Amino acid sequence: MPLIIIESPNKVAKIKQITGFNVIATAGHFMELKQIEVENGYNAVFDYMEKKKSSIMQAISKAKGEVVYIASDPDREGYAIGYMFYQKIKNVAKTIYRAEFHEITPSGIKKGLDSAKLFADTNFNYYQAFLGRRVSDQLIGFILSPHLTRGLQFNKMLSAGRVQTPALSLITKREEEIEAFESLSDEEKKEYGVQAIACIDSKNIAFKAIENNKELRFAKQDEALQLVNKLKGFDKILVSSIEKTTTKTNPPKPFTTSKLLKVASKELGISTQSVQNIAQELFENGLITYIRTDSEFLSQEFLQEAQSFFSPIYPNTYQYTEYKAGKNSQAEAHEAIRITHCHKFEEIESICAKEKFKDLNLATKLYTIIFKNTLLSQSKPAIYEKISMLGKIKMSDFKVNFKKIVDKGFLGVFNDKDEEKDDEDISFASFPYKEGDSISLSEITLKEINKNPPKRYLEADFIEVLEKSGIGRPSTYATYLPKLLDKEYIQITQDKRREIAPTKLGISSINFFKKDKNAWLLDIEFTKQMECALDEIEDGGKKYLDFMKEIHSKMDFLALKAEPKEKKEYPPSEKQLDFCKSIAQTLGIDLPKNLERDYRVAKKFIDENLSKMPKKEKV
């Protein structure tokens, strides 16, 4: 009986039920990087993770003499896991194939098995690209993390990384922009415009003063008042031109990883990591396609199925639409995130209730978001009639825009609001004016405009910031913020907005590198180039060795000193020490030994006793 090797244990039962084959999960990576032999072409020495060694040895034993399908996840990391398992069984298994399951459904599994190819014939450059990412990350971490720790004279090991440090620099830069804006005077935070108020259709409508077709804004109030005073006494505005156009708002495109994380995190008010975890459950239960993708492509097979099913239900809004894969899809090419089976919207709750989820409510809400996106991506655009009316008062130009929806299109499917609607566009039912008409004015006034202050990144938006900056890939987007949180470099508010702010430690780390010879680590463009270089390794256009030399040269080819398995002892901070003493005094217990020598002892003492403290004593 064939053997299928996958990553997630949660998919074992479903794939076994569909295929009848033996199915074994590696539970993700089962090998860890132990050493980098720099002198030997940056050779990476891997060994078994101790906690997974026994189960992997059993899997290798079961592969002996069998036909094996290695179906680890269909991306770079998944290929690397599969390649490592292939190396363990290539001399003992009968035949070894590489299969990719983009959806855990009977048709998805069959398609993956039918299109499987001999593992020996796959592109081994995927593994080389994985090595480039993994080894360069460790090289940078092992050299620059101790360098940062020494530079800040910190009492425990700090962390620097190829991606996490540039990501942190984006967050600290935004904080600097916010502080710079806050330091401005009240006057500097404002601009001024001029508007003419007319009564149209029983509404007070504001015509904005314009110049070169843009709203005229003044830095100082006195400058704006000069124009107001110049136009005082005029009680009519002459309609100089009327331009009618038809515009449209397109429906949302199918979800990529970054788009799903952004939309769902905002709508559900949870972390992007939580969104990704729930989406993984939906994928494992066969409800959606693979969740790590930068592709907007939808397969012909699904498009035809969707058209056949949904067009009779939504005859006035449905529109068959094809999407291209996307600019980075050559790295990890597969479909967008979509539902795997077409069904009625009203059946969502019952379909989700049949599966096992850690949180059925959140899983249902997330699946609803993905269902809506899938359907809306196959819907007509919303069509508007837009009227731009220009008017003159003396020699000054004024403008007002009117907008009327002609066809709601995709907005009518779930009665959604148009998120792209310009708040300055005025809705209208009928438009009675023509060029040459005069419209009575009630007043010409000064308009005070508050400049938009820079705002902290929201967790939901930051994934898209990383993507646009060229940092990371779909398989890793959701990991960066948890790392920065864990290292105490950032804080995220626990309200629904989830704003990101750097801590003093995070700011200090970035400021250190700004003045250091390793300031290149903060260069977003360099990080982007390195991500592109990893893609080039996959395509065979760049060699792993050249990539590693380029990275290492940035650190002057400093020798690599591996970290010891046990971290060195560092004394606790003064705040930790004081809190430990407070706990001991309040609870009447002894302080642990080695407290003043090792921060880990202090942390363990606080963790064990914090819940016993009166609420007012907790910090």
Side-chain angles (χ1 to χ4, degrees), residues 422-568:
D422 188 340
D423 291 336
E424 294 184 353
D425 288 346
I426 301 164
S427 60
F428 71 97
S430 60
F431 190 81
Y433 300 102
K434 62 183 185 297
E435 290 182 15
D437 285 351
S438 292
I439 302 174
S440 297
L441 298 177
S442 55
E443 60 178 334
I444 298 173
T445 64
L446 185 75
K447 178 185 176 185
E448 189 175 282
I449 305 166
N450 291 319
K451 292 180 182 178
N452 291 324
K455 296 179 181 178
R456 286 173 173 167
Y457 290 117
L458 303 182
E459 182 184 3
D461 296 329
F462 194 65
I463 300 295
E464 197 168 32
V465 173
L466 292 175
E467 184 180 43
K468 289 180 178 178
S469 299
I471 298 178
R473 287 293 181 262
S475 59
T476 55
Y477 284 144
T479 64
Y480 302 131
L481 291 179
K483 282 181 184 177
L484 294 174
L485 274 170
D486 182 61
K487 301 301 180 183
E488 299 180 352
Y489 287 157
I490 63 169
Q491 295 174 331
I492 299 179
T493 60
Q494 295 305 299
D495 55 8
K496 195 167 183 179
R497 285 180 57 76
R498 298 187 64 82
E499 288 185 342
I500 308 170
T503 62
K504 290 182 179 179
L505 179 58
I507 293 170
S508 296
S509 299
I510 296 302
N511 287 341
F512 170 80
F513 279 117
K514 281 182 179 179
K515 302 172 184 176
D516 188 68
K517 63 182 179 180
N518 292 294
W520 59 268
L521 188 60
L522 307 180
D523 185 353
I524 300 297
E525 187 58 34
F526 178 76
T527 308
K528 180 180 179 179
Q529 289 171 6
M530 290 302 97
E531 292 289 356
C532 292
L534 292 174
D535 292 342
E536 288 179 38
I537 294 174
E538 285 186 10
D539 296 335
K542 193 177 185 72
K543 298 297 183 183
Y544 162 74
L545 181 59
D546 295 334
F547 175 82
M548 290 307 304
K549 284 181 177 179
E550 189 173 354
I551 291 283
H552 203 180
S553 69
K554 289 287 186 177
M555 296 174 283
D556 298 326
F557 292 103
L558 285 174
L560 180 64
K561 295 180 180 179
E563 285 186 333
K565 287 186 178 180
E566 293 296 325
K567 290 185 177 179
K568 294 179 181 178

Side-chain angles (χ1 to χ4, degrees), residues 246-289:
T246 299
T247 63
K248 67 178 181 179
T249 300
N250 288 319
K253 294 180 178 180
F255 278 142
T256 58
T257 299
S258 61
K259 289 290 186 184
L260 173 63
L261 295 178
K262 175 181 178 177
V263 170
S265 180
K266 279 186 175 179
E267 287 195 27
L268 302 181
I270 59 177
S271 70
T272 50
Q273 184 69 63
S274 296
V275 173
Q276 183 155 294
N277 292 341
I278 300 167
Q280 179 69 24
E281 285 190 87
L282 291 171
F283 168 66
E284 290 168 355
N285 282 292
L287 297 184
I288 64 172
T289 51

Side-chain angles (χ1 to χ4, degrees), residues 234-451:
F234 289 87
D235 60 357
K236 292 186 184 296
I237 183 169
L238 176 67
V239 178
S240 57
S241 72
I242 296 174
E243 182 181 356
K244 295 183 179 181
T245 56
T246 299
T247 63
K248 67 178 181 179
T249 300
N250 288 319
K253 294 180 178 180
F255 278 142
T256 58
T257 299
S258 61
K259 289 290 186 184
L260 173 63
L261 295 178
K262 175 181 178 177
V263 170
S265 180
K266 279 186 175 179
E267 287 195 27
L268 302 181
I270 59 177
S271 70
T272 50
Q273 184 69 63
S274 296
V275 173
Q276 183 155 294
N277 292 341
I278 300 167
Q280 179 69 24
E281 285 190 87
L282 291 171
F283 168 66
E284 290 168 355
N285 282 292
L287 297 184
I288 64 172
T289 51
Y290 189 57
I291 64 167
R292 296 175 182 89
T293 175
D294 55 10
S295 173
E296 296 171 348
F297 172 73
L298 297 176
S299 69
Q300 290 287 330
E301 179 184 2
F302 176 76
L303 288 175
Q304 290 168 7
E305 178 190 349
Q307 184 178 35
S308 176
F309 185 88
F310 288 120
S311 59
I313 300 175
Y314 305 96
N316 297 323
T317 57
Y318 193 86
Q319 179 173 283
Y320 179 97
T321 308
E322 296 181 3
Y323 293 89
K324 293 182 179 180
K327 61 182 179 180
N328 291 323
S329 59
Q330 74 278 5
E332 296 169 311
H334 30 73
E335 283 192 79
I337 302 169
R338 60 163 173 81
I339 60 173
T340 56
H341 297 97
C342 296
H343 59 82
K344 293 181 179 179
F345 177 76
E346 294 76 15
E347 297 173 340
I348 288 177
E349 289 191 9
S350 62
I351 286 172
C352 291
K354 294 176 184 177
E355 309 296 341
K356 293 181 179 179
F357 294 106
K358 292 178 183 177
D359 188 322
L360 176 59
N361 181 46
L362 279 177
T364 303
K365 287 181 177 179
L366 181 58
Y367 181 70
T368 302
I369 290 172
I370 296 170
F371 178 95
K372 284 184 171 183
N373 173 262
T374 303
L375 180 55
L376 292 177
S377 73
Q378 297 298 300
S379 300
K380 296 176 180 178
I383 306 299
Y384 298 90
E385 180 184 348
K386 187 171 182 177
I387 298 176
S388 293
M389 183 162 67
L390 291 178
K392 279 190 177 292
I393 305 175
K394 203 173 181 181
M395 297 301 293
S396 297
D397 293 321
F398 287 77
K399 184 178 182 179
V400 65
N401 292 327
F402 298 91
K403 192 175 184 180
K404 178 172 70 174
I405 192 160
V406 177
D407 184 347
K408 292 188 72 173
F410 75 96
L411 296 173
V413 179
F414 300 107
N415 292 318
D416 294 329
K417 294 181 179 179
D418 183 2
E419 294 183 359
E420 295 183 12
K421 186 179 184 299
D422 188 340
D423 291 336
E424 294 184 353
D425 288 346
I426 301 164
S427 60
F428 71 97
S430 60
F431 190 81
Y433 300 102
K434 62 183 185 297
E435 290 182 15
D437 285 351
S438 292
I439 302 174
S440 297
L441 298 177
S442 55
E443 60 178 334
I444 298 173
T445 64
L446 185 75
K447 178 185 176 185
E448 189 175 282
I449 305 166
N450 291 319
K451 292 180 182 178

